[in-house]
Amino acid sequence: KAGVTQTPRYLIKTRGQQVTLSCSPISGHRSVSWYQQTPGQGLQFLFEYFSETQRNKGNFPGRFSGRQFSNSRSEMNVSTLELGDSALYLCASSFSYAGGGKNIQYFGAGTRLSVL
Amino acid sequence: AQRVTQPEKLLSVFKGAPVELKCNYSYSGSPELFWYVQYSRQRLQLLLRHISRESIKGFTADLNKGETSFHLKKPFAQEEDSAMYYCALRGGGSQGNLIFGKGTKLSVKP
């Protein structure tokens, strides 16, 4: 079974631009969560999607948005990039959004975004 | 507030020595606790979770609700255990997101 796939692996953008990151979950998984990882703040939750609906959102500005498609693939978008948005963005997929035995989150390798 | 604290940024031990990576949490209900590990150049992966009460790669972790702790232990460290270890919490109900600690880098010296 293929793991969580994130594309692209690396991105370089300049301030003010926007960026779209993509995540393909494990086959059969319907929940996708996004996390931002930085040296200072560690891993922080961005948002979670299940069946094309945003179920939960972390404490990030509105410049960060996402969506999920009918095939469970997800994209996240960051508009008006700032230097502080430079980070590793991780996507995780799970069978469902609820707690319980099946809901283990499996992580992708991440997209490293550098904002210059 | 929901919070996970890993007090040690770096833990260095010699091969064969016991290891304990500390994790304390703050949560008002009954959370699920996890340990994730990230080996060099690899993705974050689940090591173990408290509900399964299993031992993975010789590691165990017991949830202590009284002390709100979920420390990770291994009696004899191996060099291949060197990695970043993250403790994570998931609250109950419909929220599936994980709240991570800042991580502890374990270095096992030969």
Side-chain angles (χ1 to χ4, degrees), chain A residues 83-96:
Chain A
L83 295 179
D85 297 334
S86 294
L88 180 67
Y89 290 88
L90 294 175
C91 165
S93 79
S94 58
F95 181 77
S96 175

Side-chain angles (χ1 to χ4, degrees), chain A residues 55-112:
Chain A
R55 300 291 308 191
N56 197 10
K57 189 178 189 302
N59 189 26
F60 278 82
R63 300 185 296 107
F64 291 81
S65 63
R67 59 178 176 168
Q68 187 180 34
F69 302 95
S70 58
N71 61 357
S72 295
R73 191 177 71 85
S74 177
E75 289 181 347
M76 68 163 281
N77 183 276
V78 187
S79 62
T80 320
L81 283 166
E82 300 178 359
L83 295 179
D85 297 334
S86 294
L88 180 67
Y89 290 88
L90 294 175
C91 165
S93 79
S94 58
F95 181 77
S96 175
Y97 64 85
K102 285 191 174 181
N103 198 28
I104 296 171
Q105 293 201 353
Y106 296 88
F107 283 81
T111 294
R112 184 163 297 280

Side-chain angles (χ1 to χ4, degrees), chain A residues 3-4 35 37 40-43 45 48 55-56 97-101 103-105 107-109, chain B residues 32 34 36 38 43-46 49 51 86 90-91 93-102:
Chain A
V4 179
Y35 295 85
Q37 186 176 25
Q41 299 300 316
L43 281 150
F45 170 70
E48 176 189 13
R55 300 291 308 191
N56 197 10
Y97 64 85
N103 198 28
I104 296 171
Q105 293 201 353
F107 283 81
Chain B
E32 293 181 71
F34 304 83
Y36 276 81
Q38 190 168 30
R43 62 186 64 190
L44 200 60
Q45 58 186 283
L46 178 68
R49 48 192 171 133
I51 60 171
Y86 295 93
R90 180 168 64 204
S94 62
Q95 295 188 348
N97 64 286
L98 294 168
I99 298 166
F100 285 91
K102 292 285 181 74

Side-chain angles (χ1 to χ4, degrees), chain B residues 39-85:
Chain B
Y39 300 102
S40 179
R41 299 181 183 277
Q42 294 188 28
R43 62 186 64 190
L44 200 60
Q45 58 186 283
L46 178 68
L47 181 61
L48 52 80
R49 48 192 171 133
H50 88 273
I51 60 171
S52 56
R53 301 185 63 82
E54 55 196 346
S55 173
I56 304 292
K57 297 185 179 182
F59 285 98
T60 58
D62 289 318
L63 179 61
N64 186 322
K65 292 186 178 180
E67 296 182 359
T68 58
S69 68
F70 188 56
H71 303 328
L72 183 67
K73 300 177 183 179
K74 185 171 183 177
F76 307 104
Q78 303 299 314
E79 289 181 68
E80 54 266 30
D81 296 329
S82 296
M84 277 294 294
Y85 290 81

Side-chain angles (χ1 to χ4, degrees), chain A residues 1-53:
Chain A
K1 207 182 239 189
V4 179
T5 304
Q6 291 187 247
T7 56
R9 291 295 311 279
Y10 303 92
L11 266 177
I12 299 176
K13 293 286 186 180
T14 56
R15 277 187 307 172
Q17 287 186 310
Q18 74 165 13
V19 67
T20 299
L21 313 181
S22 179
C23 172
S24 293
I26 292 171
S27 177
H29 284 190
R30 296 168 63 192
S31 175
V32 173
S33 298
W34 289 88
Y35 295 85
Q36 182 195 64
Q37 186 176 25
T38 59
Q41 299 300 316
L43 281 150
Q44 292 185 290
F45 170 70
L46 280 156
F47 26 66
E48 176 189 13
Y49 287 87
F50 178 78
S51 292
E52 302 178 66
T53 301

